[in-house]
Amino acid sequence: MIQVKNLSKKFGNLTVLKEINCNIKKGEVISIIGPSGTGKSTFLRCINLLEQPSGGEIFVDQINLMDKTTNIPKMRQRMGMVFQSFNIFSHMTVLENLCIGQIKLLNKTQAEAIEKARELLKLVGLAEKENYFADELSGGQKQRIAIARCLSMDPEIILFDEPTSALDPTMVSEVLAVIRRLAKNGMTMLVVTHEMDFARDVSSRIFYMDEGIIYEEGSPEQIFKTPQKEKTKAFINRIRSLNYQIRSQDYDLYQLNAEIEQFCEKHFLSRKTVNNTLLIYEELLSVYQHFFKAYHIDISLAYSEKHNTMELHFSYQGDKHNLLESDFEDDELSINLINNLSQEFNFSYENHYNKISLLIKKV
C-alpha cells in the first residue's frame, strides 16, 4: 500500500533522514520506536508531505507523491494524521469539529455529517460530549475527539505522531484503547510511540529508528525478545552503560573506581554489589597481567532497568585467550572469586579481540 524508496530529509546542513526504504501492506500496524531526535516524526510528516523530502520517492497504491502532477490534497484525504497536540478547533463544539471537514471537503450534507459524527463519537466513547467545547474536555478526551475527526474523513491510512505524549499517565490508556480497536478493525496505521507495551501488543511490525534510518525492523516478537543489533537491544532493555578504556599500566585506578561506584549508586545498587563489581574487574586485571604485557583493555558496565541486571564486559586485544581458563596456580583464587560473584559468564573472540561478559550477582 505504501512504498518508500531512498527517502531523505535535510534541514540545512543537518541530515535527519538517510535513504529510508520500506514497504507497508494494507491492514498493517507499524509502530515506530527509538530515541528522541532520530527522525521518527519527520518520517511521518514526509510520508504525507507535511515536510517536503529532500530526496527519494513515496508511493501510495503505486501513485508517486513526489510527481508534480499528483493531487496532493486528495492523497492527504486518504492519509489522516493525528498529532500529539490535538489540533481541534476550540471555538467549535465537538460535533462541529467532526462535521466541518465532511461538509467542506467530502461535500456531505449537514445531516449526513452529523449522522457520521455521532457514530464516530460512540466509537471513541464520547457520544455525550457532542455539545462540549475543547476547554471543557480532558487531554485524553481531546485526543479521542482528534481521532474521531480524523476518521470522519474516511481515511485508508492513519498516521499517529506520538498521540499520548502530551497526556497524563491516567489518560494514556483511554486513547490507546481506541487505537487498539482501530487495529482490530483492520485500519492501516503508522504509530510513532514511546508506549512499548502498546507497540508489542498491537503492531504487525516494529520499526526501530536510530541515526536517521530504520536501524532494525521485525515482528514484535523479534524486536522485543531477540533484537539483532546492539542499539536496539540497549533501547528495548533500557540499558544504561559506563565505558572505560585502559591503554597503559599507569591508568588512573582511582578514577575508574569512582566512576564505577557513581554508576552503581545512580541505579540504587547495594554497596555489596558495588564492591563485588569492583572486585571482579580487579581480579580480571590481575589474571590479565600474567599473559599480556601491552595494556589494551575496554571495560564496560551495562545496567538493564527492565530486567534489573548488571553486566560487566571485559574486552582485550591479542591472541585468543580466555582468562577464566588460566592454568596458573596464582590465578586459581582470582578465578574462583570471579565465578562466585557472577551468575553466568560468556567468552567470545572476534577480530583479534577477546571478550568476557559476566552477569554480576546482586545482593
Side-chain angles (χ1 to χ4, degrees):
M1 189 171 195
I2 302 175
Q3 186 177 27
V4 178
K5 294 183 178 180
N6 302 318
L7 179 67
S8 63
K9 176 62 182 177
K10 294 182 179 180
F11 293 98
N13 295 324
L14 177 64
T15 300
V16 179
L17 301 177
K18 307 172 187 176
E19 303 293 318
I20 289 181
N21 293 277
C22 65
N23 291 294
I24 297 154
K25 298 177 182 177
K26 183 177 177 61
E28 278 198 300
V29 179
I30 307 294
S31 286
I32 305 168
I33 65 173
S36 298
T38 53
K40 303 185 297 297
S41 294
T42 301
F43 176 49
L44 280 197
R45 294 174 68 86
C46 281
I47 286 179
N48 69 354
L49 299 189
L50 288 178
E51 295 286 356
Q52 186 67 30
S54 302
E57 296 177 302
I58 303 166
F59 295 87
V60 176
D61 287 339
Q62 301 182 341
I63 299 173
N64 188 353
L65 301 190
M66 305 298 289
D67 191 320
K68 293 181 179 180
T69 63
T70 299
N71 186 337
I72 299 303
K74 184 177 180 180
M75 294 303 296
R76 283 201 184 116
Q77 287 183 26
R78 299 179 60 184
M79 284 193 290
M81 188 158 185
V82 177
F83 303 86
Q84 54 184 295
S85 55
F86 320 134
N87 291 347
I88 60 177
F89 299 119
S90 59
H91 65 287
M92 293 182 178
T93 65
V94 165
L95 193 65
E96 289 169 342
N97 263 278
L98 269 63
C99 289
I100 186 171
Q102 298 183 69
I103 294 170
K104 290 186 175 294
L105 299 175
L106 301 183
N107 298 318
K108 290 187 177 182
T109 66
Q110 186 173 13
E112 290 172 333
I114 289 174
E115 181 181 1
K116 179 71 171 180
R118 285 175 172 161
E119 176 187 319
L120 292 171
L121 287 174
K122 288 181 181 178
L123 176 72
V124 300
L126 293 172
E128 66 179 8
K129 304 292 185 182
E130 68 172 53
N131 293 317
Y132 281 53
F133 289 87
D135 60 3
E136 299 176 282
L137 303 173
S138 69
Q141 290 170 339
K142 289 177 185 177
Q143 192 61 292
R144 283 188 280 160
I145 295 302
I147 294 172
R149 187 181 61 181
C150 177
L151 291 170
S152 72
M153 302 303 293
D154 297 322
E156 299 169 36
I157 303 159
I158 302 182
L159 312 177
F160 291 92
D161 186 10
E162 299 191 45
T164 61
S165 64
L167 302 178
D168 293 334
T170 54
M171 299 176 185
V172 169
S173 60
E174 63 190 62
V175 174
L176 294 182
V178 172
I179 301 175
R180 289 175 194 272
R181 184 169 181 177
L182 295 178
K184 287 182 180 179
N185 291 340
M187 175 64 72
T188 306
M189 297 187 288
L190 280 76
V191 188
V192 172
T193 182
H194 292 289
E195 301 292 335
M196 295 298 104
D197 289 340
F198 167 81
R200 182 178 56 244
D201 296 343
V202 175
S203 308
S204 310
R205 280 188 294 154
I206 306 287
F207 290 172
Y208 172 73
M209 288 190 67
D210 207 332
E211 302 175 358
I213 61 173
I214 298 175
Y215 186 79
E216 185 170 355
E217 68 172 277
S219 67
E221 177 85 8
Q222 176 190 323
I223 295 297
F224 284 100
K225 290 190 176 180
T226 57
Q228 301 300 302
K229 298 186 178 181
E230 288 303 318
K231 285 190 175 183
T232 316
K233 291 178 184 177
F235 180 83
I236 294 300
N237 293 322
R238 298 190 298 278
I239 288 173
R240 304 294 182 263
S241 61
L242 167 70
N243 301 290
Y244 194 93
Q245 294 182 335
I246 298 177
R247 296 295 183 264
S248 165
Q249 187 175 0
D250 300 320
Y251 72 97
D252 191 337
L253 172 65
Y254 296 104
Q255 181 190 25
L256 176 55
N257 284 358
E259 289 192 19
I260 290 176
E261 289 189 25
Q262 185 179 29
F263 178 81
C264 293
E265 289 170 2
K266 180 180 178 182
H267 297 292
F268 304 103
L269 300 175
S270 69
R271 184 67 227 178
K272 186 66 174 176
T273 301
V274 176
N275 291 338
N276 289 351
T277 303
L278 293 170
L279 186 56
I280 288 173
Y281 98 78
E282 288 173 357
E283 296 301 331
L284 283 169
L285 279 172
S286 175
V287 178
Y288 176 88
Q289 292 168 356
H290 294 158
F291 297 95
F292 297 92
K293 293 182 179 180
Y295 278 70
H296 200 291
I297 303 168
D298 295 326
I299 295 174
S300 68
L301 288 177
Y303 174 71
S304 170
E305 295 176 8
K306 180 177 181 179
H307 300 295
N308 192 25
T309 56
M310 173 79 86
E311 290 186 23
L312 185 148
H313 303 284
F314 189 93
S315 303
Y316 46 101
Q317 193 176 46
D319 294 333
K320 184 177 181 180
H321 186 90
N322 185 351
L323 299 179
L324 298 182
E325 295 180 350
S326 170
D327 293 329
F328 279 102
E329 186 176 340
D330 291 347
D331 294 333
E332 185 176 351
L333 179 59
S334 294
I335 293 173
N336 285 337
L337 276 170
I338 293 168
N339 287 331
N340 288 334
L341 298 175
S342 307
Q343 289 180 261
E344 59 184 66
F345 75 86
N346 292 291
F347 171 80
S348 60
Y349 183 73
E350 187 176 357
N351 297 327
H352 302 289
Y353 263 90
N354 299 272
K355 182 176 181 179
I356 295 174
S357 300
L358 303 113
L359 189 63
I360 297 172
K361 290 181 179 177
K362 297 192 302 300
V363 291

